Amino acid sequence: MKELKDYVRTIPDFPEPGIMFRDITTVTADADGLKLAIDSMQELVKDIDFDVIVGAESRGFIFGSALAYNLHKPLVLIRKKGKLPAETISVDYDLEYGKATLEIHKDAFKPGSRILLVDDLLATGGTTKAMAKLVEMLDGEVAGILVLMELKGLNGREFLKPYPVFSALSYEGK
């Protein structure tokens, strides 16, 4: 039986020399791999009390929607600036080589809701921290952060303290 890590394709020196790119398209392109990814992620949060799943554009939508369906929870989307049609709030955050903006609808969930943030990857933690800030700006509580994979060498987990972080896969490097 294959393990989850067996479905991840590693591409050396992409997008630049020294980087080992962990490609999740080989996980989602295989029915057994996708099922194993969702089941593994779901198992990690089975004891977490939360009301709403919030997924980040765009790969957080993949995993977030499957989890929301399985757990019968609502799914809220955090998107790049200008992609949501109703009234939003936004947060700017730093990227490795620039800045970006994320938005969420102002009425995405009720104040006091406990939120599970879902994404595909935890690297430096910048995007995830911006997601958490949006949740808190709407008076939500971050109950946990769930990712398919974590690049431990980039210390995102440390950056996200004190939020609980759960990852189905961990890689030591960058």
Side-chain angles (χ1 to χ4, degrees):
M1 185 168 159
K2 288 172 90 171
E3 294 181 34
L4 184 54
K5 67 180 180 182
D6 297 329
Y7 291 96
V8 177
R9 175 174 42 200
T10 300
I11 302 168
D13 299 320
F14 181 83
E16 58 187 56
I19 302 293
M20 299 295 282
F21 187 84
R22 309 298 179 173
D23 181 13
I24 66 154
T25 64
T26 50
V27 175
T28 61
D30 185 291
D32 291 332
L34 181 58
K35 182 173 182 357
L36 185 55
I38 299 301
D39 290 350
S40 298
M41 292 173 79
Q42 188 169 315
E43 178 66 20
L44 290 171
V45 295
K46 69 180 180 190
D47 297 324
I48 303 299
D49 176 32
F50 63 93
D51 307 304
V52 177
I53 292 174
V54 172
E57 184 168 0
S58 65
R59 292 170 303 272
F61 297 175
I62 296 167
F63 302 107
S65 62
L67 290 164
Y69 177 83
N70 281 351
L71 299 171
H72 196 72
K73 301 281 186 180
L75 174 68
V76 169
L77 308 179
I78 287 182
R79 302 214 52 199
K80 296 172 186 166
K81 186 175 180 152
K83 300 289 186 179
L84 291 171
E87 191 175 0
T88 62
I89 61 167
S90 64
V91 65
D92 297 324
Y93 66 103
D94 292 325
L95 295 170
E96 190 174 350
Y97 300 108
K99 291 193 175 291
T101 303
L102 290 177
E103 294 183 329
I104 190 170
H105 280 136
K106 277 190 171 182
D107 61 354
F109 53 82
K110 294 177 185 164
S113 295
R114 292 183 46 83
I115 307 298
L116 178 67
L117 297 176
V118 177
D119 207 352
D120 67 322
L121 177 69
L122 174 58
T124 63
T127 301
T128 309
K129 186 87 154 209
M131 292 171 60
K133 185 174 181 180
L134 285 171
V135 165
E136 291 167 349
M137 288 168 66
L138 292 177
D139 295 323
E141 178 186 345
V142 177
I145 296 166
L146 176 63
V147 295
L148 177 65
M149 72 177 78
E150 174 182 3
L151 303 178
K152 286 186 167 186
L154 295 173
N155 299 315
R157 185 179 290 260
E158 286 296 312
F159 185 65
L160 294 171
K161 282 186 175 182
Y163 305 117
V165 176
F166 307 90
S167 59
L169 291 170
S170 293
Y171 293 95
E172 292 302 322
K174 295 179 180 180

